[in-house]
Amino acid sequence: MATHRTKMLIIGSGPAGYSAAIYGARAMMEPIVVQGLQPGGQLTITTDVENYPGFKDVIQGPWLMQEMQAQAEHVGTRMMWDTIVEVDLAGGSPFRAVGDSGDEYIGDVLVIATGAQAKWLGVPGEQELGGKGVSACATCDGFFFRGKKVAVIGGGNTAVEEALYLTNHSDDVTLIHRRDDLRAERILQERLFKSDKISTLWNKTVERFEAGENGALSHLVLKDTQTGEESELIVDGAFVAIGHAPATELFAGKLPMDDNGYLLVEPGTPKTEIPGVFAAGDVMDHTYRQAVTAAGTGCMAALDAERFLATLEFAEEEAAEAAE
């Protein structure tokens, strides 16, 4: 067991955590990043990335995360291969966290960048065909299915928004829902039903994703929830859109969250209810969930953290002078 002390403690990696670390290190805050179970976040399981600024050619998600980590280390960040299992925020700064290793981490400011994970159906072929026709992000991967037949699975806001977005690339979008009515907001439903590019399959669940001879997705096997009858739907791409789950269990009862478990922040900032604690990336963003927006909020968290520490140090200096 060891104790690691820093001005800036970052829990979680990925674009938000690494960007916070880069800015924090350049501000001489000597950040520590505790990387967690999946260093690099969701991009480490994403193959082609074509919408991250600065690269004219397709890049690989794992490579992008390796480069961000290397940049953060180059400017002075310490990377810790540990998973935080306990945090103490009640007493204010400095904040304390304990890793699965037993090590203790103490930071004058805390940046939470634990991210979120897409919810999956858990049926055969889903994970095996990830990046080969099956995705959980139309904004990320819809571009690769221009002019092709695609399906979206789900019935909430996420699913309808994904289906509508995909009409920018495909004239043949099928929305598959296990019930006979949608849970999405009425205005989204109206837009969906008005589109001549989207058809809807009601009372259907996906039993499995099947690959073709080329190893990529060729069709879905569907099951009627009322009759039990199975059918096939030939598609080039399928997007699972049943929501995301933010990794916020660690902060339950310690920080305010919305009904879906996303950390609440002051609008337009990464500031949480507790001064000195900041949330960046998908852990607080249920709307955009993009690498570039995660990186942006990581930058914002570091800049706000620097200002917080400067205010803290100024107050301490004034108190010391008053005591003399």
Side-chain angles (χ1 to χ4, degrees), residues 87-320:
V87 292
D88 182 5
L89 311 179
S93 178
F95 305 100
R96 175 180 172 272
V98 179
D100 185 58
S101 65
D103 283 9
E104 183 179 58
Y105 303 87
I106 299 175
D108 295 330
V109 295
L110 174 65
V111 176
I112 301 167
T114 47
Q117 296 290 334
K119 295 179 181 178
W120 295 96
L121 299 171
V123 300
E126 185 176 45
Q127 296 303 314
E128 294 85 348
L129 293 172
K132 300 177 181 178
V134 178
S135 171
C137 181
T139 311
C140 309
D141 300 326
F143 180 80
F144 300 111
F145 297 92
R146 287 172 294 175
K148 297 183 178 180
K149 181 177 175 61
V150 296
V152 177
I153 300 105
N157 284 352
T158 299
V160 175
E161 287 170 351
E162 299 262 278
L164 290 167
Y165 173 81
L166 285 167
T167 60
N168 294 314
H169 304 294
S170 170
D171 293 334
D172 193 345
V173 180
T174 302
L175 181 69
I176 302 167
H177 187 40
R178 59 182 176 175
R179 299 189 178 93
D180 59 3
D181 65 330
L182 300 174
R183 293 176 287 107
E185 295 173 0
R186 184 60 57 186
I187 190 169
L188 289 174
Q189 293 191 42
E190 289 177 359
R191 290 177 57 199
L192 179 90
F193 295 137
K194 285 180 180 178
S195 175
D196 58 3
K197 297 181 180 181
I198 304 174
S199 57
T200 307
L201 288 178
W202 303 107
N203 301 312
K204 297 286 193 296
T205 59
V206 176
E207 291 293 289
R208 58 187 180 275
F209 298 85
E210 296 279 1
E213 293 181 359
N214 62 356
L217 177 69
S218 67
H219 65 275
L220 313 179
V221 176
L222 307 177
K223 182 177 181 179
D224 192 291
T225 58
Q226 296 182 328
T227 66
E229 181 182 355
E230 287 194 352
S231 59
E232 292 185 358
L233 178 68
I234 297 174
V235 293
D236 299 295
F239 295 85
V240 179
I242 57 175
H244 285 72
T248 54
E249 300 89 349
L250 190 62
F251 308 99
K254 298 176 181 180
L255 284 170
M257 305 177 188
D258 67 12
D259 293 339
N260 295 312
Y262 288 87
L263 293 178
L264 295 176
V265 294
E266 181 182 314
T269 81
K271 299 176 183 177
T272 70
E273 182 182 70
I274 298 177
V277 177
F278 307 91
D282 289 6
V283 76
M284 47 74 81
D285 174 18
H286 55 74
T287 303
Y288 302 104
R289 298 193 301 269
Q290 299 298 300
V292 67
T293 51
T297 56
C299 162
M300 292 162 64
L303 295 176
D304 282 342
E306 183 182 6
R307 295 186 186 105
F308 173 82
L309 286 179
T311 302
L312 208 63
E313 290 169 2
F314 180 74
E316 290 174 353
E317 289 173 2
E318 282 199 324

